[in-house]
Amino acid sequence: ANKSNDMRKSANRITILRDMDKDGKPDVKETFLSGLNQPFGMLLLKNNFYVANTDALWMFPYKKGALTITGEGKKITDLPAGKINRHWTRNIISNSKGNKIYIAIGSGTNVAEKGLDEEKDKAQIWEINPDGSGLKVYASGLRNPVGMDWAPGTQTLWVAVNERDELGDDLVPDYITGVKRGGFYGWPYAYFGQHIDPRIEAKDQQPELVKKAIVPDVGLGAHTASLGLLFYTGKQFPPKYRNGAFVAQHGSWNRSVLAGYKVMFIPFKNGKPAGEEEDFLTGFIIEPDGKKVHGRPVGLAMLSDGSMLVTDDTSDIIWRVSAE
C-alpha cells in the first residue's frame, strides 16, 4: 500500500513479510516484485508465482524461500480492463490439483451505465490452465467478485460479491455464494435472482437470460462491500469456527448509515451455510457519531499457526487475529 491512503493509486508492487522466529510478527520485509500494474491476486503453484495485474495474468519463476523474484515474467493471458475499470481487482485461486486457475473479474461500472460494450468479458469468473490455455467462462453476471475459496470437504468454489449501488440504503445485498459452473448471477439486468434492475433500458433487457439468474446462497446486507473470503481450516480458533466462512467487509460510501467495516463469520456444516452470520472483528467505525472510520478490511489469509490476517487499506495495516 502507499502512504497517501488514496485507494485509486496502486503502489504496483508486492511486498514479502516473513516471520522467521514464529512470534507472530514479521521480522523480514522485502520488495518481492515491482513494476506491476494494479496487482491484486497472487498464487504459488509448484515453482511458479502467478500475479494478476488488472489487465493481465503473469507467471514468474519462484525458488522456495526467495525474498525477491529475479527471473523474467511471462504473460499468461490478457484480462479485460480498459479505460472504464472501476472494479479493478483481479483475484486468482487454483483448484486442489493445481491444474486450473480461476480469475475473478469485476465490472467496469456500477450497472453498465457506460454501455454494455465497455463490459465485454467482465463481471465473470474465468477458468484457465496454468499455461494460459483452455480459457472458459466459469460463471457470469457477478458484478464484482473478489474473495474466492473452496468450501472444505467439497469441490465447490465460493465467492464474495460486491453488488450494485444507488438503489437506496437497503438494496442490493452483497453476498457469498457457491458458484455453479456456467451459472449466471444477474448483473447488470437483475439482482438476487430475477429482480429486474429498473435502470437497464428496455431495449437492452435480456428476459430469457434473467430467467436463468441464480439466487445467491447467503445475503450479507446492502453496501457492506463484502470483498475477502476465507474458510477457516485451522485449529487455533474455538471449534465453532472450524470450516466456517469469514468475510471482510470494506464498507460502502453509498449508504446514509455506514454498513460493513468489519469481518463477519458464517458457520458452515458439511460444506453448506449452517446458522446466522455474526460479527467477528468490529470497532472500525468511530462511535458515537458513526460517520468516520479507522479502517476498511479487504483481504483475509490464515497463517500456518491458525491465526488470521486481515488487510486494511485505509490504515495501511495488516491485523493479526489470534486466540492465544
Side-chain angles (χ1 to χ4, degrees), residues 285-319:
I285 297 175
I286 300 170
E287 302 297 354
D289 70 340
K291 294 289 185 195
K292 293 186 178 155
V293 296
H294 291 293
R296 306 185 76 180
V298 180
L300 301 172
M302 193 181 76
L303 292 178
S304 56
D305 67 359
S307 62
M308 187 168 73
L309 300 180
V310 182
T311 66
D312 172 351
D313 73 1
T314 295
S315 63
D316 286 350
I317 288 172
I318 297 174
W319 303 97

Side-chain angles (χ1 to χ4, degrees), residues 201-262:
E201 290 184 32
K203 68 179 175 57
D204 292 329
Q205 281 290 359
Q206 299 274 352
E208 291 308 306
L209 188 56
V210 167
K211 278 182 196 165
K212 298 177 187 165
I214 299 168
V215 179
D217 290 306
V218 182
L220 295 172
H223 313 300
T224 55
S226 298
L227 302 180
L229 173 64
L230 172 73
F231 282 103
Y232 187 75
T233 55
K235 297 199 166 52
Q236 189 189 115
F237 292 179
K240 77 174 221 179
Y241 295 110
R242 199 81 36 88
N243 298 331
F246 287 107
V247 180
Q249 298 188 325
H250 193 236
S252 171
W253 55 274
N254 189 229
R255 201 169 192 279
S256 57
V257 178
L258 296 183
Y261 304 95
K262 60 190 172 188

Side-chain angles (χ1 to χ4, degrees), residues 5-311:
N5 282 342
D6 185 343
M7 291 179 292
R8 292 167 299 187
K9 291 194 177 81
S10 171
N12 290 333
R13 68 172 175 268
I14 294 169
T15 300
I16 190 165
L17 302 166
R18 186 165 285 163
D19 177 11
M20 302 292 282
D21 58 10
K22 302 283 193 269
D23 68 347
K25 293 180 182 144
D27 31 53
V28 174
K29 180 182 177 186
E30 298 286 345
T31 296
F32 187 63
L33 190 56
S34 56
L36 299 166
N37 181 24
Q38 291 182 277
F40 186 79
M42 298 176 285
L43 176 64
L44 198 52
L45 274 184
K46 295 177 182 150
N47 296 321
N48 288 312
F49 177 77
Y50 291 82
V51 58
N53 283 339
T54 194
D55 60 355
L57 178 65
W58 284 77
M59 179 178 80
F60 296 84
Y62 173 78
K63 290 190 183 69
K64 192 174 179 185
L67 292 175
T68 185
I69 294 261
T70 52
E72 196 169 328
K74 177 185 174 190
K75 185 161 75 169
I76 295 295
T77 187
D78 286 312
L79 299 176
K83 286 183 182 153
I84 300 166
N85 196 31
R86 181 196 288 193
H87 302 124
W88 58 267
T89 61
R90 307 286 179 254
N91 200 12
I92 50 177
I93 191 173
S94 68
N95 59 0
S96 58
K97 288 181 184 165
N99 62 3
K100 295 288 180 189
I101 295 173
Y102 299 85
I103 311 169
I105 301 166
S107 64
T109 60
N110 176 30
V111 63
E113 62 271 16
K114 302 284 188 186
L116 289 164
D117 290 350
E118 295 289 343
E119 306 294 347
K120 186 169 162 31
D121 300 324
K122 291 190 174 185
Q124 298 178 349
I125 295 174
W126 288 6
E127 178 187 74
I128 197 166
N129 296 326
D131 65 358
S133 64
L135 174 64
K136 291 178 180 157
V137 175
Y138 192 72
S140 62
L142 298 152
R143 177 181 177 269
N144 187 24
V146 184
M148 295 185 287
D149 203 359
W150 300 93
T154 74
Q155 301 293 309
T156 304
L157 178 66
W158 282 70
V159 64
V161 176
N162 175 210
E163 254 292 356
R164 66 202 74 196
D165 288 321
E166 298 171 359
L167 283 177
D169 270 11
D170 299 314
L171 287 176
V172 169
D174 291 349
Y175 59 84
I176 62 169
T177 194
V179 183
K180 293 184 170 63
R181 179 184 284 277
F184 173 70
Y185 289 84
W187 190 89
Y189 312 103
Y191 57 85
F192 231 85
Q194 281 104 42
H195 297 93
I196 299 292
D197 193 306
R199 296 165 296 187
I200 305 296
E201 290 184 32
K203 68 179 175 57
D204 292 329
Q205 281 290 359
Q206 299 274 352
E208 291 308 306
L209 188 56
V210 167
K211 278 182 196 165
K212 298 177 187 165
I214 299 168
V215 179
D217 290 306
V218 182
L220 295 172
H223 313 300
T224 55
S226 298
L227 302 180
L229 173 64
L230 172 73
F231 282 103
Y232 187 75
T233 55
K235 297 199 166 52
Q236 189 189 115
F237 292 179
K240 77 174 221 179
Y241 295 110
R242 199 81 36 88
N243 298 331
F246 287 107
V247 180
Q249 298 188 325
H250 193 236
S252 171
W253 55 274
N254 189 229
R255 201 169 192 279
S256 57
V257 178
L258 296 183
Y261 304 95
K262 60 190 172 188
V263 178
M264 301 294 303
F265 175 73
I266 298 136
F268 269 63
K269 196 170 181 182
N270 302 323
K272 298 278 185 196
E276 290 296 305
E277 61 175 88
E278 58 187 71
D279 287 356
F280 178 75
L281 180 63
T282 61
F284 290 98
I285 297 175
I286 300 170
E287 302 297 354
D289 70 340
K291 294 289 185 195
K292 293 186 178 155
V293 296
H294 291 293
R296 306 185 76 180
V298 180
L300 301 172
M302 193 181 76
L303 292 178
S304 56
D305 67 359
S307 62
M308 187 168 73
L309 300 180
V310 182
T311 66

